[in-house]
Amino acid sequence: MKEKNTKISNPAGGRSYEDMTHLYGRVWILSALGMIFAYPIVACIYYDAWPGIVPVLKGLIGVAPIFWTVGLIEVLTFVPMLGTAGSYLAFVTGNLTNLKVPAALTAMENARVKPGTEEGEVISTIAVATSSIVTTVIIAVGVALLVPLTPILNSPTLKPAFDNILPALFGGLAVVYVSKNWKISIAPLVFMVVLFLCVPSLSGSVGVLVPVGAIIAIGAARILYNKGKL
């Protein structure tokens, strides 16, 4: 008996949802890349000021390997969490670690769906899109009110709050996930605490250490599973 094809197609073009997602995702990724390179090129043309190949290469050698490494790590780490459409949208709009990933994980947690499922794909995409819209609106309002709010934002009273926004955000997420998988979380948590206490300078390399923590968590989970502790 011939197996029935259940792949959902787009009536307009006969393409599946996944195909259209990759098509539009690549278009916007390449468009964003073009706009990123367009600004320095247009500035150089307008002011007739070209830095030369050697200074550009010297600058790239100093920073590019770091960004390339972090970018590769983020793709391998975050794409399984965000799904196809959410990943394209998140990588175009940016701020994955600070905003997009926490927003997507929180939304999936509240909706009681898991990453990697069709439901998780939909919820993740909606969460990332909503986060992008809200971020754009807030940035626009912030730019318009930057001058009037500068004395308040620079107030010593509010400085501790601004310094702890990111730890508070991930702390709230950690409580949810650690409470559900506290046995698995012990190994990576202890490792990271000891590592940052011994080498405080690594606090700026959190993006690189994310997959390290993930590998430790996977290894710990495997050991606990083999011992019948999970």
Side-chain angles (χ1 to χ4, degrees):
M1 182 175 178
K2 189 175 182 180
E3 192 175 284
K4 185 178 180 181
N5 185 9
T6 59
K7 192 174 184 180
I8 299 175
S9 297
N10 185 338
R15 294 185 177 183
S16 67
Y17 169 79
E18 291 81 5
D19 292 336
M20 296 303 296
T21 299
H22 285 295
L23 174 62
Y24 289 121
R26 290 165 182 166
V27 168
W28 284 107
I29 285 286
L30 294 175
S31 299
L33 185 64
M35 287 187 286
I36 291 172
F37 281 104
Y39 179 79
I41 293 174
V42 170
C44 290
I45 294 174
Y46 181 81
Y47 292 105
D48 193 21
W50 299 89
I53 299 297
V54 175
V56 171
L57 290 178
K58 287 183 179 179
L60 284 175
I61 291 173
V63 298
I66 298 174
F67 285 103
W68 290 343
T69 304
V70 173
L72 178 61
I73 290 171
E74 286 185 347
V75 170
L76 298 176
T77 306
F78 294 148
V79 168
M81 300 179 187
L82 299 175
T84 306
S87 296
Y88 279 121
L89 184 57
F91 278 98
V92 169
T93 55
N95 282 334
L96 279 82
T97 304
N98 298 345
L99 293 174
K100 303 307 186 307
V101 173
L105 293 178
T106 302
M108 287 187 283
E109 178 70 23
N110 292 335
R112 297 181 181 180
V113 298
K114 295 182 178 180
T117 62
E118 292 183 358
E119 295 83 359
E121 169 92 14
V122 173
I123 296 298
S124 172
T125 304
I126 295 173
V128 173
T130 303
S131 174
S132 301
I133 294 171
V134 172
T135 302
T136 303
V137 172
I138 292 176
I139 290 175
V141 174
V143 171
L145 300 178
L146 182 61
V147 175
L149 293 178
T150 297
I152 300 175
L153 297 176
N154 291 334
S155 171
T157 305
L158 296 178
K159 188 177 185 302
F162 286 115
D163 291 341
N164 290 281
I165 289 178
L166 192 59
L169 176 64
F170 279 94
L173 289 174
V175 169
V176 175
Y177 288 96
V178 169
S179 62
K180 289 185 176 182
N181 306 282
W182 65 271
K183 293 180 180 179
I184 300 176
S185 66
I186 292 176
L189 184 62
V190 171
F191 175 82
M192 290 299 173
V193 169
V194 173
L195 178 64
F196 286 122
L197 288 176
C198 295
V199 190
S201 60
L202 290 177
S203 59
S205 304
V206 175
V208 178
L209 293 173
V210 167
V212 176
I215 293 173
I216 295 174
I218 293 171
R222 181 65 180 176
I223 294 173
L224 292 173
Y225 178 79
N226 291 336
K227 292 185 176 182
K229 301 296 184 180
L230 292 180

